[in-house]
Amino acid sequence: MAIEKASYIDTIIPATAQSCPVTNRDYFTRDLEEALRNRSPNIGQRIDSSLRTDKWDRIAGEVFNCASYDEFIELKLNNSTFFGQALLKISDAMIEILYKVEEDLIDSQGPEYKAPFANSTLRKKSGMHGWGMAIDFDVGINPYVLNEKSEEKLDKELIGAYDNIAKLMLGKNESDLRKLKSGRSAFGDGSIGDIHDILQEESDAMRKYFSLMKDDTAFQEFIETEWAVKNPDNKIPDIERIKAQMEKDYIILGGKADTGNVWRTEVNEDRPFAPNSMRGKGDPATGFLNLRKEFVEAMTDRGFAWGAIDISGEPGDIQHFDLRLQGVGARVYNLLLKYK
């Protein structure tokens, strides 16, 4: 004889807390799920979220066959050297590529070649650094100049300072740092060499701009010679007004004025040269690029992404190189984007 369906939910009597026999387990499960959906439409999503593995553990398992991210750190990262510098906790993929970069530079530049100082490799659960697949060089004078995450408001102030430098020192209408978000193709023929040349020109201009701020004689000479050549039809500018703008630009970029004043900054903002910034040491007069052209080319020729131009949506990290463009690094990077 067929068993007549009895709704589990309908047979519950809350007032007397009577029990209800389950006459059919399939009906019971279906009724319970339906009731939960009706009373809490997001229950499935909440359950899924509670069961979801931490993305770092998940990637460690999918890509490296490790039980957890901590196991990945313990088993899959190793120590190495780069031009005599000890590099701790980096991936085998990066060890192999850095070895080739070192060989290339010694072959092209000679055995006495010195690479910039490597400041940072592993930073746990922090982008490609979190997988031992990123490295930063000379962070004190190769800062994150523009486009850092969630700093759109700050960028408007910074780009104004960069524009002032490019206009006065180079005769440009605006700074080429504005082009970073447009990618490699926005610079010359799109080669790393062309990009480096343009950024180096602006970095050198920044150094000179702020050196003139404190040298009236040199400033006057610059206006009468270099500036006059670039601006033959323009009236000689008001030097005192320009010096006041220079001082403002200096502290906008994170420098400290002679008076000790610094530009007031929101809590989460990271001015490129702010003394309290992990990426700067407080002096825009050093410029923003000291990585030599042959070094950057050697790194990118071997497949490294350069943070200055190759970080989609957030370019401008001059010091940074990582493996997001190739091999296992590309797989890890794409999963970092996928698993929020």
Side-chain angles (χ1 to χ4, degrees), residues 14-30:
T16 59
Q18 294 181 4
S19 63
C20 171
V22 179
T23 58
N24 184 295
R25 187 168 299 277
D26 290 338
Y27 289 151
F28 168 80
T29 302
R30 187 173 66 187

Side-chain angles (χ1 to χ4, degrees), residues 48 51-70 125 131 331 335-336 338-340:
D48 287 345
L51 296 176
R52 187 176 299 131
T53 305
D54 173 87
K55 75 173 182 179
W56 297 88
D57 291 334
R58 188 171 181 177
I59 296 172
E62 290 185 22
V63 179
F64 301 100
N65 198 31
C66 291
S68 67
Y69 177 71
D70 288 340
K125 295 190 176 183
W131 300 100
R331 187 178 176 195
L335 289 177
L336 284 172
K338 179 179 179 181
Y339 301 145
K340 296 297 185 180

Side-chain angles (χ1 to χ4, degrees), residues 93-203:
M94 196 158 82
I95 290 173
E96 180 181 353
I97 296 172
L98 285 175
Y99 178 78
K100 293 176 181 177
V101 171
E102 183 170 345
E103 279 192 328
D104 293 344
L105 285 167
I106 289 174
D107 286 345
S108 64
Q109 306 298 317
E112 302 303 316
Y113 185 81
K114 292 185 179 181
F117 180 68
N119 295 85
S120 176
T121 50
L122 176 69
R123 295 204 298 270
K124 289 185 177 181
K125 295 190 176 183
S126 177
M128 297 299 285
H129 280 286
W131 300 100
M133 295 183 182
I135 186 168
D136 296 338
F137 292 97
D138 277 346
V139 300
I141 42 181
N142 294 284
Y144 210 137
V145 292
L146 203 63
N147 304 316
E148 199 163 357
K149 186 177 181 180
S150 302
E151 294 192 354
E152 293 82 3
K153 182 179 178 181
L154 174 60
D155 282 348
K156 292 179 181 179
E157 295 180 7
L158 299 179
I159 198 61
Y162 296 137
D163 282 347
N164 290 335
I165 295 168
K167 289 174 183 177
L168 181 70
M169 307 305 296
L170 302 174
K172 296 180 179 179
N173 292 324
E174 61 185 23
S175 170
D176 280 315
L177 293 178
R178 288 178 175 270
K179 299 178 181 179
L180 292 176
K181 278 194 173 182
S182 298
R184 295 189 182 193
S185 62
F187 294 82
D189 64 6
S191 69
I192 285 295
D194 273 3
I195 295 166
H196 184 279
D197 287 346
I198 292 169
L199 296 183
Q200 188 69 69
E201 179 185 49
E202 294 219 0
S203 177

Side-chain angles (χ1 to χ4, degrees), residues 302-322:
R302 285 296 181 179
F304 275 100
W306 185 21
I309 194 69
D310 293 322
I311 300 179
S312 178
E314 299 172 6
D317 195 356
I318 306 296
Q319 67 201 249
H320 180 89
F321 295 84
D322 68 45

